[in-house]
Amino acid sequence: MTLETILKHLSYRRMDIRFFAERPVQMRHWIGAVLRNNFLCAAEEVRDAQGISLRQRLDTLPLPEQHFLYGQLCGGFPKGFFFDCSDIPYEAPGFVLQANRVYTVSLVRVGRCAGADEEFVEAVRRMFARGFGHPVVPLSVIDIVEDTYTFASPDARDMNGWLELTFKTPVCLMRSSREDSQGYQNKLNYFPSFYQLMRSLSYRLLTLGILYGDCDPWTDRRQMDDWVQDYIAPSVRAMLMQADLRYEKRYGTPKGGEKSVYVMGGYVGKLAFGNVLFAYIPVLDFASGLGVGGDIQYGLGCFAVKYRNHKSNTKGYESDY
């Protein structure tokens, strides 16, 4: 079983939403959290013929209790949707929407994520019509355009090349480390190495495939872990060539009656690696639309890739596969 085979069973749809506000909107919160929380409130109002809300279906783990991942995911699992708000200008600690300027955010839906197209469109329209900000400003949706993305296997190439990664919104690949931990990844000062990127990305793709795709090739967690280790083994050969990163925090919206907010963080900027196995590039290109790392549902983890092989004379890091 190869990751390419698994990805052929997993697609995602990107719903690009263009909108504007007639008056300026300013909030001291990360817009990814604002969109996520307001969408879920609107999804609570959208119900199917049986009276079940879209939010209830989104929050229901799509695994049987006997599945080997059920115990791990029943307390929280990767949702089948998230907002890509990486094109909205960030102004610490929040955002500003100028009056009558057209903006675009994207709602990404993975595989067979619960809910029909019209239900998501209805929730989106309700969310924008209700508006947000202090004071609340309704937003006008201009149009909604949706495209479907599927994985296409490239021609097999046994070569290495240069890879440039751009972290468009904060990317966090590691949890808080313990000083007594024996794993070497916990001693890298949180640096997002290529190995850690491929490890985090592999587990995300496999989990999404199990939850929302049509591929579940393992019978226990050990089989899955062994497969991941074999797949990412060549990633340690990549060599860091350039790094321009900074750590940034994002602040969620407070819950009703509470003053504290959810604080997220990660690295934004660019990394360049040499000696990257070409076989990873199509996977990275496809997965760049699905995010990586923590807090993806709040709009973190958005990244982009550029690549060139060592035989290319192309300046920069243009993809040529």
Side-chain angles (χ1 to χ4, degrees), residues 170-184:
V171 172
C172 180
L173 300 179
M174 300 179 66
R175 299 174 182 173
S176 298
S177 60
R178 303 194 331 266
E179 292 185 6
D180 60 348
S181 174
Q182 298 303 310
Y184 83 91

Side-chain angles (χ1 to χ4, degrees), residues 80-288:
F81 78 96
F82 68 93
F83 283 94
D84 179 351
C85 52
S86 58
D87 289 335
I88 303 294
Y90 173 68
E91 299 188 22
F95 67 95
V96 175
L97 301 179
Q98 299 176 9
N100 297 313
R101 175 178 172 181
V102 177
Y103 296 92
T104 301
V105 297
S106 300
L107 174 59
V108 180
R109 298 164 53 197
V110 185
R112 56 172 184 268
C113 178
D117 291 351
E118 58 269 21
E119 293 176 326
F120 278 88
V121 171
E122 176 64 19
V124 165
R125 291 193 178 278
R126 284 174 178 257
M127 172 183 71
F128 281 100
R130 182 179 296 148
F132 41 75
H134 302 291
V136 175
V137 177
L139 305 169
S140 300
V141 174
I142 299 174
D143 54 32
I144 299 175
V145 179
E146 188 173 48
D147 286 324
T148 299
Y149 294 81
T150 57
F151 181 80
S153 297
D155 296 332
R157 299 188 189 182
D158 186 16
M159 63 176 66
N160 296 335
W162 287 66
L163 171 70
E164 181 181 276
L165 294 167
T166 300
F167 293 163
K168 300 162 66 177
T169 59
V171 172
C172 180
L173 300 179
M174 300 179 66
R175 299 174 182 173
S176 298
S177 60
R178 303 194 331 266
E179 292 185 6
D180 60 348
S181 174
Q182 298 303 310
Y184 83 91
Q185 283 294 307
N186 290 329
K187 298 179 176 65
L188 292 182
N189 308 106
Y190 296 93
F191 185 81
S193 68
F194 185 67
Y195 172 87
Q196 189 63 40
L197 173 78
M198 291 308 302
R199 185 179 187 278
S200 297
L201 194 63
S202 296
Y203 276 111
R204 173 161 172 76
L205 293 175
L206 298 182
T207 303
L208 291 177
I210 291 172
L211 293 174
Y212 309 108
D214 295 309
C215 194
D216 191 358
W218 300 281
T219 58
D220 58 52
R221 181 56 188 261
R222 181 174 180 179
Q223 287 182 346
M224 183 177 176
D225 291 343
D226 290 345
W227 186 95
V228 170
Q229 291 305 314
D230 289 341
Y231 176 72
I232 65 176
S235 66
V236 300
R237 304 171 192 162
M239 181 177 179
L240 177 66
M241 306 302 292
Q242 297 176 4
D244 181 12
L245 297 174
R246 61 186 180 276
Y247 186 85
E248 292 187 356
K249 292 182 178 180
R250 299 290 188 266
Y251 300 90
T253 57
K255 295 182 179 180
E258 298 182 11
K259 294 184 178 180
S260 61
V261 298
Y262 180 49
V263 181
M264 303 159 278
Y267 291 97
V268 296
K270 292 186 177 183
L271 290 169
F273 294 94
N275 202 40
V276 174
L277 187 67
F278 175 81
Y280 288 142
I281 304 307
V283 174
L284 282 163
D285 184 65
F286 174 79
S288 65

